[in-house]
């Protein structure tokens, strides 16, 4: 399994990497073995530097988000994109040991390799939630305090 991880590192540095089909890399047994190795290493040593290579192999945003999200949920981590790629750190979330790479990959394939984004809730089904100042109420100018004495409609000349 460690050899598969080393092959991914070599693939990431290879000049021909842009020519490879990322979908085939994602569903390959080589990638699955590398994920298994990195998860086992991270659990045993609490060291997450190996995980970045698994995410950085891909150029496509959806593949990066899928792999990063799966690793974060499986190991209870947080991830962010740094200047050198994905960086993982501990979070307060417990690891989900029942997650399966194969099952998650099948669900991702069923969505045609697209990330399911959460839908934003709308208030009253038409207007998005707005924060900030409210607009002033509409006031008829004839009833306003700002009307000058002697102006039209005041009854005085």
């Amino acid at each position: 399994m460690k050899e598969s991880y080393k092959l991914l590192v070599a693939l990431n540095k290879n000049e021909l990497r842009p020519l490879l089909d990322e979908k085939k890399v994602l569903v390959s047994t080589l990638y699955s073995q590398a994920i298994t190795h990195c998860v086992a290493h991270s659990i045993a040593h609490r060291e997450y530097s190996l995980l970045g290579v698994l995410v950085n192999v891909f150029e496509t945003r959806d593949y990066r988000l899928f792999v990063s999200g799966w690793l974060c949920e499986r190991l209870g981590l947080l991830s962010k994109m740094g200047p050198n790629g994905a960086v993982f750190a501990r979070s307060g979330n417990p690891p989900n040991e029942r997650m399966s790479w194969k099952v998650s990959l099948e669900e991702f394939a069923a969505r045609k390799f697209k990330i399911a984004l959460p839908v934003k809730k709308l208030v009253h089904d038409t207007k998005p939630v707005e924060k900030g100042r409210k607009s002033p109420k509409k006031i008829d100018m004839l009833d306003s305090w700002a009307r000058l004495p002697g102006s039209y409609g005041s009854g005085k000349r």
Side-chain angles (χ1 to χ4, degrees), residues 120-137:
K120 292 183 180 179
K121 300 280 183 175
L122 297 178
V123 175
H124 303 294
D125 296 330
T126 56
K127 295 182 180 179
V129 177
E130 294 181 17
K131 294 182 180 179
R133 283 200 287 174
K134 295 180 181 178
S135 62
K137 291 182 181 178

Side-chain angles (χ1 to χ4, degrees), residues 106-122:
E106 288 171 357
E107 292 171 0
F108 186 56
R111 290 190 306 265
K112 299 181 181 175
F113 296 96
K114 298 288 180 195
I115 292 292
L117 297 175
V119 179
K120 292 183 180 179
K121 300 280 183 175
L122 297 178

Side-chain angles (χ1 to χ4, degrees), residues 1-10 30 33-34 37:
M1 289 195 203
K2 191 172 185 178
E3 293 80 22
S4 59
Y5 175 77
K6 289 180 181 179
L7 286 173
L8 273 181
V9 171
L30 174 82
Q33 290 172 351
H37 167 70

Side-chain angles (χ1 to χ4, degrees), residues 4 7 12 22 24 50 70 85-86 91 105 116 119 135 137 139:
S4 59
L7 286 173
N12 206 11
E22 291 183 342
K24 289 182 180 179
L50 299 181
W70 188 86
S91 73
L105 189 60
V119 179
S135 62
K137 291 182 181 178
I139 300 174

Side-chain angles (χ1 to χ4, degrees), residues 74-86:
R74 171 66 179 87
L75 297 170
L77 302 175
L78 292 174
S79 70
K80 64 180 181 179
M81 291 306 287
N84 297 329

